[in-house]
Amino acid sequence: MKLEAYQAMSDEELRHRIKKAKTDKNAIILAHNYQRLEVQKIADFLGDSLGLSRQAAKTEADVVVFCGVDFMAESAKILAPGKTILLPEIQATCPMAQMVTPEALAEAKAHNPGKTVVAYVNTTAGVKALTDICCTSANAVEIVKSLGDREILFVPDRNLGGYVKKETGANLTPWDGYCYVHNFLTVQDVERNRAAHPDAVFLIHPEAPADVIELADFVFSTSGMVNYVSSIAGEKDKQRGVIIGTEVGLVNQLQDRFPDIGIWPLSEFAVCGTMKLTTLAKVAWSIETGNYVVTLPEDVIENARQSLEKMLESGR
Ligand code: 13P
Ligand code: SF4
């Protein structure tokens, strides 16, 4: 059946078809916290990049439908090469991951032979294959600390790299990439929200610029933010409310889960366009028709796996 036919179906029918196909094909659905709320709600596992990698590595399903962007689905393929990994939307790419190519990284390594390459998971498989150890926003500080006084080349996010350098004092050179969604969060956004919600706790994602991070109460990955809000749900502190400095998909999730807590986006314009391309219709089409299958050359899988596994084995 063509995608158009799925797009004409009701959400209820789509959910029913997805549920049935999951059983028929022994499939699971992994979704990132920035997905549309209706997609988040059909996930077997919803989480941040680190949590999703861990799930991909340990799943016993035959098929993994990855609702996120391409580098996440590639990581799933690298960690579970024997499984069929499906990406419902072929155009779901991460612009930041494209900011460092394997060629550019190979050249930088040639000019800096002694440096250890730490790559944010928001990178292509080809870049991971040239990397010593990966990290996510949840464990970047700990991973870099574990490298002691080694000289580090950190790709591709200059904001996360700068934050990690400040937190660890490491001898770290950040690449010049950035996430367009977080990089455009501003001090003015913080001032506006602080004025509107003076008691609120302000959480920021480390992909934001340094001057915005500086003003936050806590710096968290997306699941770190979920854990924080969950932890105050039964507490007096929840009266203060929370300002969320990340993509709005996470804000939507928290507002839905915690209707009695004030939860405000730092900016309602913090929308990752490619994260929003995955719809219920595309998930139903993907799981029923087996599209799009994520494939990677075997040597890339082999070489990229060591940097991802090193991160997972570090337990951080
Ligand atoms: P985390 O969910 O790992 O915090 O990552 C944010 C992100 O930008 C993923 O693309
Ligand atoms: Fe990439 Fe930023 Fe979108 Fe995450 S939010 S997928 S880093 S562009």
Side-chain angles (χ1 to χ4, degrees):
M1 221 186 331
K2 289 223 168 89
L3 177 59
E4 290 72 25
Y6 292 88
Q7 284 165 332
M9 293 174 193
S10 68
D11 283 3
E12 199 184 333
E13 179 171 4
L14 291 168
R15 278 192 285 269
H16 173 75
R17 296 185 85 110
I18 291 166
K19 199 168 166 205
K20 181 169 182 315
K22 274 200 318 183
T23 313
D24 293 348
K25 303 192 176 200
N26 188 26
I28 58 161
I29 298 177
L30 304 187
H32 187 265
N33 288 319
Y34 296 161
Q35 289 288 290
R36 291 166 180 268
L37 193 53
E38 66 271 23
V39 173
Q40 296 188 27
K41 286 186 174 184
I42 49 133
D44 297 291
F45 181 85
L46 176 65
D48 65 359
S49 308
L50 181 61
L52 292 168
S53 293
R54 289 208 171 113
Q55 289 297 320
K58 72 176 190 199
T59 183
E60 284 179 5
D62 296 318
V63 178
V64 176
V65 184
F66 214 112
C67 302
V69 289
D70 57 355
F71 74 81
M72 298 177 174
E74 282 187 359
S75 294
K77 184 68 190 171
I78 293 162
L79 291 165
K83 313 276 178 191
T84 300
I85 313 293
L86 301 177
L87 186 64
E89 169 55 65
I90 200 72
Q91 294 189 69
T93 58
C94 168
M96 175 160 68
Q98 307 300 325
M99 291 178 186
V100 55
T101 61
E103 294 73 22
L105 180 56
E107 198 183 321
K109 282 177 65 160
H111 285 109
N112 299 277
K115 288 194 182 171
T116 298
V117 178
V118 179
Y120 193 23
V121 285
N122 299 38
T123 41
T124 61
V127 164
K128 288 188 180 79
L130 298 173
T131 288
D132 295 297
I133 185 164
C134 288
C135 70
T136 74
S137 59
N139 61 17
V141 168
E142 294 305 314
I143 294 280
V144 166
K145 269 189 194 161
S146 77
L147 298 173
D149 57 5
R150 280 196 252 170
E151 274 190 77
I152 293 165
L153 177 60
F154 187 95
V155 295
D157 188 3
R158 65 179 182 223
N159 291 332
L160 179 63
Y163 169 69
V164 171
K165 186 180 167 89
K166 186 161 170 276
E167 289 298 301
T168 60
N171 186 348
L172 178 155
T173 311
W175 200 259
D176 197 22
Y178 61 89
C179 161
Y180 76 97
V181 180
H182 292 88
N183 196 52
F184 292 104
L185 296 172
T186 61
V187 168
Q188 287 71 31
D189 289 327
V190 181
E191 288 169 353
R192 195 181 60 247
N193 274 279
R194 288 279 200 205
H197 317 291
D199 296 329
V201 179
F202 169 34
L203 311 183
I204 193 73
H205 195 280
E207 288 176 12
D211 56 355
V212 175
I213 293 181
E214 189 74 24
L215 300 174
D217 295 302
F218 298 104
V219 183
F220 286 135
S221 76
T222 57
S223 287
M225 293 181 183
V226 174
N227 293 341
Y228 176 83
V229 177
S230 307
S231 76
I232 61 162
E235 307 284 326
K236 225 171 101 236
D237 237 20
K238 76 174 181 188
Q239 309 301 345
R240 297 174 62 189
V242 190
I243 300 162
I244 302 286
T246 194
E247 209 270 350
V248 295
L250 181 74
V251 181
N252 301 149
Q253 178 196 135
L254 292 171
Q255 289 170 334
D256 184 67
R257 284 182 60 189
F258 304 102
D260 60 341
I261 301 181
I263 293 168
W264 304 284
L266 181 61
S267 167
E268 65 201 48
F269 301 111
V271 179
C272 177
T274 48
M275 279 281 182
K276 301 298 187 246
L277 291 174
T278 305
T279 59
L280 274 188
K282 285 181 189 164
V283 176
W285 169 81
S286 171
I287 192 166
E288 285 193 356
T289 65
N291 282 295
Y292 295 93
V293 177
V294 175
T295 56
L296 289 168
E298 260 178 45
D299 59 325
V300 173
I301 291 184
E302 270 311 303
N303 293 330
R305 189 186 309 139
Q306 48 81 31
S307 57
L308 272 173
E309 280 183 347
K310 228 182 263 173
M311 170 183 84
L312 295 177
E313 281 160 13
S314 81
R316 294 175 170 94

